[in-house]
Amino acid sequence: MRLFALSLALSILGLAQDSNSAISATYDPAFQFWRLSNGVLEAQFRLDRQQGFFALDTLRHLPSAAAWRRPIGRAATPVDVAFRDGSRLEFNTEYLLLEQFSEPIPRNGVRQVIRLAEAAGNFEVTIHLELYPNEPVLRHRAFLKNRRSQSAWIRNVNLTPWNFADNSDAFTSFHVNQWVIVPREANFEPVETSLTPEGIPVVLNTGSGGVHCSWLVVRGRDQRGLFAGLEFNGRATMQ
């Protein structure tokens, strides 16, 4: 059984701009390390050779040198799926590399394809990472394949599973309401919230029947920022 798990656009805040750098996706087999770049955004991923986890190492806006890195001791993974039997694919899941390649896509973009097998042999994960010229946006999708003989029932899929080091910065989130009249009236009002470690999480109810638009912006005092937008036509919660 093959399940479409998620599609997400993750962007580092910065204006789209012309770049003379060629768009590229490269792989270093000695370190199991991938680098994607379009001259504006650079994303670095790796499959850890000792522990087997797959993670984003760094997301960097090249013109400003602003960078987001994974926190020490925790992987920033694009896959987080919980199953009804209690098993889970998450930040510390061990994977084996089955296949990897890059290919051109429409609008002069590039797609990096990475196919992984869970070390326990139960699931296969295929990850698509996409870049387009001059855009500070990384688009990603994940496909999940059940390799067991019996059905695997999914309890929850985390559509925004990324983890980034905060560098002890203070952050503000920004989102916009949808136009709704139930459970309350809303008409695309912008909402800003100060984020603190001990504070209440910002929770967005998005998609069909939701009350918030399906994107979220986070910005620090140093003007480092991230944008995440879901490509999902169902109901989803962002936190």
Side-chain angles (χ1 to χ4, degrees), residues 158-163 173 195 199-206 216 218 228 230 236-239:
N158 184 352
L159 297 177
T160 51
W162 304 97
N163 295 293
S173 71
L195 302 177
I200 299 174
V202 172
V203 179
L204 307 186
N205 295 309
T206 72
L216 176 68
V218 175
L230 302 180
T237 300
M238 297 181 69
Q239 176 174 310

Side-chain angles (χ1 to χ4, degrees), residues 97-113:
L97 179 63
L98 297 178
E99 181 185 27
Q100 75 81 35
F101 60 90
S102 62
E103 59 187 6
I105 55 177
R107 293 180 290 165
N108 299 315
V110 65
R111 175 187 295 130
Q112 175 67 56
V113 178

Side-chain angles (χ1 to χ4, degrees), residues 25-218:
T26 59
Y27 172 61
D28 184 339
F31 297 96
Q32 296 191 137
F33 182 86
W34 291 265
R35 177 182 284 107
L36 291 86
S37 177
N38 62 2
V40 179
L41 179 75
E42 181 181 86
Q44 300 176 3
F45 290 84
R46 69 185 172 103
L47 181 62
D48 189 86
R49 297 187 68 86
Q50 282 73 44
Q51 301 180 50
F53 61 78
F54 179 78
L56 172 70
D57 266 358
T58 306
L59 190 68
R60 190 188 314 274
H61 183 245
L62 297 175
S64 68
W68 292 81
R69 296 178 174 86
R70 70 180 184 91
I72 296 175
R74 188 178 180 91
T77 178
V79 178
D80 186 355
V81 182
F83 298 92
R84 195 166 67 182
D85 63 4
S87 60
R88 188 166 187 166
L89 301 176
E90 55 180 332
F91 71 95
N92 59 356
T93 298
E94 183 180 356
Y95 293 104
L96 303 173
L97 179 63
L98 297 178
E99 181 185 27
Q100 75 81 35
F101 60 90
S102 62
E103 59 187 6
I105 55 177
R107 293 180 290 165
N108 299 315
V110 65
R111 175 187 295 130
Q112 175 67 56
V113 178
I114 303 170
R115 191 160 67 93
L116 305 169
E118 180 203 18
N122 294 321
F123 299 100
E124 182 180 307
V125 177
T126 300
I127 298 169
H128 290 183
L129 305 168
E130 298 176 357
L131 283 181
Y132 296 90
N134 305 320
E135 296 292 341
V137 178
L138 174 69
R139 186 186 187 202
H140 83 81
R141 291 179 291 174
F143 299 84
L144 177 64
K145 183 178 181 180
N146 181 14
R147 303 176 69 179
R148 300 186 295 188
S149 59
Q150 69 271 26
S151 298
W153 295 93
I154 294 177
R155 179 171 56 84
N156 183 66
V157 176
N158 184 352
L159 297 177
T160 51
W162 304 97
N163 295 293
F164 296 98
D166 61 12
N167 296 335
S168 300
D169 197 0
F171 294 91
T172 300
S173 71
F174 175 80
H175 67 273
V176 174
N177 294 326
Q178 293 189 43
W179 183 86
V180 294
I181 57 175
V182 177
R184 57 179 175 81
E185 292 187 0
N187 190 20
F188 299 106
E189 297 89 353
V191 181
E192 292 191 22
T193 306
S194 295
L195 302 177
T196 58
E198 68 280 359
I200 299 174
V202 172
V203 179
L204 307 186
N205 295 309
T206 72
S208 177
V211 296
H212 306 112
C213 294
S214 57
W215 55 266
L216 176 68
V217 174
V218 175

Side-chain angles (χ1 to χ4, degrees), residues 11-17 40 61 63-64 134-137 223-227:
S11 172
I12 195 164
L13 292 186
L15 296 176
Q17 57 192 86
V40 179
H61 183 245
S64 68
N134 305 320
E135 296 292 341
V137 178
Q223 303 306 306
R224 283 192 316 151
L226 284 174
F227 164 86

